[in-house]
Amino acid sequence: MAERVFNFYPGPATLPLPVLEAAREELLSFQSTGMSVMEISHRSKQYENLQNETEARLKRLLNMGDNYKVLFLQGGASTQFAMIPMNFLSPEKTADYLVTGSFAKKAYQEVKSFGRAHLAVDTSSENYCRIPRPEEIKFSADPIYVHLTSNNTIYGTQWQTFPDCGGTPLIADMSSDLLSRSFDPEPFGLIYAGAQKNLGPAGVTIVIIREDLLAKANPDLPTMYRYETFAKNNSLYNTPPTFSIYMVSLVLKWLEDLGGVKQIEQMNKEKAALIYEAIDQSDGFYRGHAEKNSRSLMNVTFRLPSEELENKFVQEATAEGLIGLKGHRSVGGLRASIYNAMSYEGCKTLADFMKDFVAKNG
Ligand SMILES: *Cc1c(COP(=O)(O)O)cnc(C)c1O
């Protein structure tokens, strides 16, 4: 079998090796049932226990109380862009959007079918290279919620501290950094994330919703578009993506065994520092896309002096087993996605490769 590479793809992304091994181990017989977890009824006790345990583990890791409910949905984070305004807005109500990247913009653009969207800040004129300063954010008079994207996967920027929205519920797309660092859940009314970056494989979208916000959701929606349907039925109204949820449960267990979010945050800081240091010590050979105080611990974006050198970099890195480094077309250059599952060794290997590449081509 081919050796495993260092996988820097932005998503779907690398998973922890112990998780893949555990899944392999019980692929044919889940918990001695003689069936794969893919083959078991979602109404079985074994499956229901697994899902309940996954919810409990996630809330434990995030330090969340009983006033939050974890929902397991499908349709990706992108479906949430519409489902959120559908549930909480109406034509005479307004929601505020902080547009710091293209996913944030997509979320903003979905609102108009359901209510009013107020653009509280927009950094597109700077190609989303930074997180806005607090004084740049202009909230509307009485927003129903404030929406932001905690980590801008494409641009490599990340909110370092979340803006103060008074008592207005904050809604966050945390698709690319949920469980990578600790934060106070209190201001958040809803948090959502597609699993395929930091939580598991594609196929399940995690929605964490606070009860007081859930209570305000629009009841006049088709059944499958109501958060209430999932909340009331323990995400078992219809068939959930059972295998993806199973994989998420293994990732959460791996994270708990590792020491939890505080521990992984420290590790993520050390990993990212290796690569940012290689950028900063290159005498301008590498140019980071993100402003320094907006740098993401999850996605490191950088350019080289020419596109030719960027292509050469990708080619030679690939040959060394450093995979998935080509940046998104809207930024160009390179992007190293270094989610929780990326090892220190992977980041160190990349940083060493970067230094070596400057020495030969700088
Ligand atoms: C990847 C990503 C999305 C899109 O997720 P899908 O599950 O593909 O819909 C949305 N927001 C952020 C921040 C992302 O990184």
Side-chain angles (χ1 to χ4, degrees), residues 75-79 81 103 149 151 153 173 175-176 194 196-197:
S78 303
T79 298
F81 297 165
F103 289 119
T149 311
N151 182 71
T153 322
D173 177 358
S175 290
S176 51
Q196 69 272 20
K197 274 109 187 192

Side-chain angles (χ1 to χ4, degrees), residues 278-289:
I279 293 173
D280 294 339
Q281 295 181 351
S282 72
D283 274 330
F285 183 84
Y286 299 114
R287 283 169 295 121
H289 177 73

